Amino acid sequence: MEATSHWNFFNGSSSGVALRNSSNFSSQFTSVQLIQSFKPLIIPCYTLVVLVGIFGNYLLLYVICKTKKMHNVTNFFIGNLAFSDMLMCTTCIPFTLAYAFNPQGWIFGKFLCYFVFLMQPMTVYVSVFTLTAIAVDRYYTTLHLLKKRISFTTCVYIIGGIWLLSCALVAPAVAHTYHVEFQKEGFTICEEFWIGEEREHLAYAYSTLIITYILPLSAVSLSYICITIKLKNRVVPGHPTQSQAEFDRLRRRKIFRLLVLVVAAFAVCWLPIHVFNIIRDININLINKEYFLLLQLLCHWFAMSSSCYNPFLYAWLHDRFRSELKEMFTFKKRIIPANNCVASVLS
């Protein structure tokens, strides 16, 4: 199940089985015309996601890097998530949108064909595995409060492993990606083809869906359920005062709620494109061909919008991040010493 939609204008799927009869061709032509009619609406929506996703996640990364008090394992994982979301906005959205609307198809050359089709799903896998790492880290620190947390060195190794694993999972899809030029027609495609390997394609698609969506989100949900149960009867060690214990409990619950909402936003945003891909791979005829490309584009936009929500969730629920943002955007008046004023007047 491809994490991102691949635009095959011959049949609307990545299996590479060409449509041969005239009714199918007519439906596909109508489908292309339909998304062209929605162009004034779709392009601004995608542009908004790109701008908010890049700028918002840049602010998130900037605050994490700048503020020493936010230099902890959880925030480093959040920073990795923000970085992958920025890459998603720069590699997935502009190229996919141009490919969808350009009558010449793929116009960015062979290198970018393979590079973009590598980065698109890889950034999604990095986001999923990073969310899983965050859940495991929170589970470990909540249920084993007195034990030492993982070190920053271990955190770096985990992040590196996440990127390597994501790259490995994308390798089969990239191996079946082809850049084909139709010189007479003046049209170029960059697509994933599994001609004669339909069973292998389905096996890879479903295994990827399980590994990168179902299992991680199941593990995250189980982890957060255990944390919820544990927080209800949290006893803070060291016999703190009642106010200190209450403050610690509220702070932990606010951070916990933040992380749950981050995971929930990701899961909800990516659900439609996964459902769409499942239906497409089971039987493409279950989807009306006239609306195929429009539905695919809308599902893709909704999935891409997941990259925008994390900065807003942080600004809403993370006190330290919110205070850093206020400090960053607050106009500070410069106070000139009195002696300088007198000196300037005398001069």
Side-chain angles (χ1 to χ4, degrees):
M1 209 62 50
E2 292 82 352
T4 53
S5 57
H6 297 169
W7 302 99
N8 190 329
F9 290 100
F10 292 106
N11 62 0
S13 73
S14 57
S15 61
V17 181
L19 296 175
R20 293 180 174 83
N21 57 60
S22 58
S23 62
N24 283 334
F25 178 81
S26 176
S27 298
Q28 285 303 109
F29 182 74
T30 305
S31 182
V32 173
Q33 281 189 319
L34 186 62
I35 65 169
Q36 291 291 339
S37 65
F38 279 90
K39 190 175 180 179
L41 175 64
I42 293 175
I43 291 182
C45 289
Y46 267 93
T47 303
L48 182 65
V49 169
V50 172
L51 296 177
V52 174
I54 293 177
F55 182 68
N57 285 289
Y58 169 77
L59 287 179
L60 186 56
L61 272 172
Y62 177 79
V63 171
I64 291 174
C65 294
K66 175 190 174 184
T67 311
K68 291 184 178 181
K69 291 182 180 180
M70 295 186 70
H71 289 181
N72 57 58
V73 171
T74 300
N75 284 332
F76 283 165
F77 282 134
I78 292 291
N80 187 56
L81 182 63
F83 180 68
S84 67
D85 284 342
M86 286 181 63
L87 282 180
M88 186 189 301
C89 289
T90 55
T91 60
C92 293
I93 298 177
F95 292 101
T96 300
L97 198 61
Y99 191 18
F101 287 112
N102 196 309
Q104 296 178 341
W106 185 265
I107 59 172
F108 304 105
K110 191 172 184 179
F111 172 77
L112 282 178
C113 169
Y114 292 103
F115 178 76
V116 169
F117 272 58
L118 169 69
M119 294 302 298
Q120 283 185 346
M122 189 167 72
T123 53
V124 179
Y125 300 159
V126 168
S127 297
V128 174
F129 294 141
T130 302
L131 290 172
T132 307
I134 293 172
V136 172
D137 173 65
R138 299 311 302 173
Y139 174 85
Y140 184 81
T141 55
T142 303
L143 271 65
H144 304 281
L145 190 62
L146 298 178
K147 291 186 178 181
K148 186 178 180 180
R149 295 189 63 179
I150 65 173
S151 64
F152 291 121
T153 303
T154 305
C155 176
V156 171
Y157 285 138
I158 292 174
I159 291 175
I162 287 173
W163 282 92
L164 289 176
L165 175 61
S166 301
C167 186
L169 288 172
V170 177
V174 176
H176 288 82
T177 298
Y178 297 92
H179 179 267
V180 183
E181 296 182 7
F182 298 91
Q183 295 181 354
K184 292 183 178 179
E185 294 79 4
F187 188 80
T188 304
I189 63 172
C190 177
E191 295 294 334
E192 182 184 331
F193 293 103
W194 295 70
I195 301 176
E197 300 178 280
E198 283 74 18
R199 289 185 178 181
E200 290 82 356
H201 171 242
L202 287 177
Y204 171 72
Y206 287 118
S207 61
T208 302
L209 173 65
I210 293 171
I211 294 172
T212 62
Y213 190 77
I214 296 176
L215 286 182
L217 292 182
S218 299
V220 167
S221 301
L222 180 61
S223 174
Y224 285 154
I225 289 172
C226 294
I227 293 174
T228 303
I229 296 173
K230 186 68 176 179
L231 285 176
K232 287 183 178 180
N233 299 311
R234 162 66 70 197
V235 177
V236 181
H239 306 287
T241 63
Q242 184 177 0
S243 59
Q244 288 175 331
E246 184 65 21
F247 174 78
D248 180 76
R249 185 159 47 249
L250 290 175
R251 183 179 63 84
R252 289 179 178 275
R253 286 181 176 175
K254 185 172 285 190
I255 294 175
F256 170 72
R257 183 172 56 177
L258 164 66
L259 298 176
V260 169
L261 288 176
V262 168
V263 173
F266 185 91
V268 170
C269 288
W270 280 96
L271 182 60
I273 191 67
H274 283 300
V275 172
F276 181 90
N277 286 334
I278 289 173
I279 297 174
R280 181 198 64 191
D281 288 334
I282 291 175
N283 186 356
I284 194 173
N285 294 320
L286 294 175
I287 305 174
N288 190 318
K289 290 183 175 58
E290 293 183 6
Y291 299 97
F292 188 98
L293 293 179
L294 180 62
L295 289 174
Q296 192 178 42
L297 195 61
L298 292 176
C299 289
H300 181 265
W301 173 82
F302 194 58
M304 293 295 100
S305 68
S306 66
S307 62
C308 300
Y309 302 135
N310 292 348
F312 289 103
L313 291 174
Y314 254 68
W316 175 37
L317 293 173
H318 199 291
D319 295 333
R320 188 168 293 160
F321 180 73
R322 186 167 59 249
S323 64
E324 289 291 335
L325 282 182
K326 286 182 179 178
E327 183 180 348
M328 185 184 304
F329 290 105
T330 300
F331 177 76
K332 297 180 180 180
K333 295 181 179 179
R334 293 186 60 185
I335 301 176
I336 304 175
N339 57 348
N340 289 345
C341 293
V342 173
S344 61
V345 171
L346 293 176
S347 59

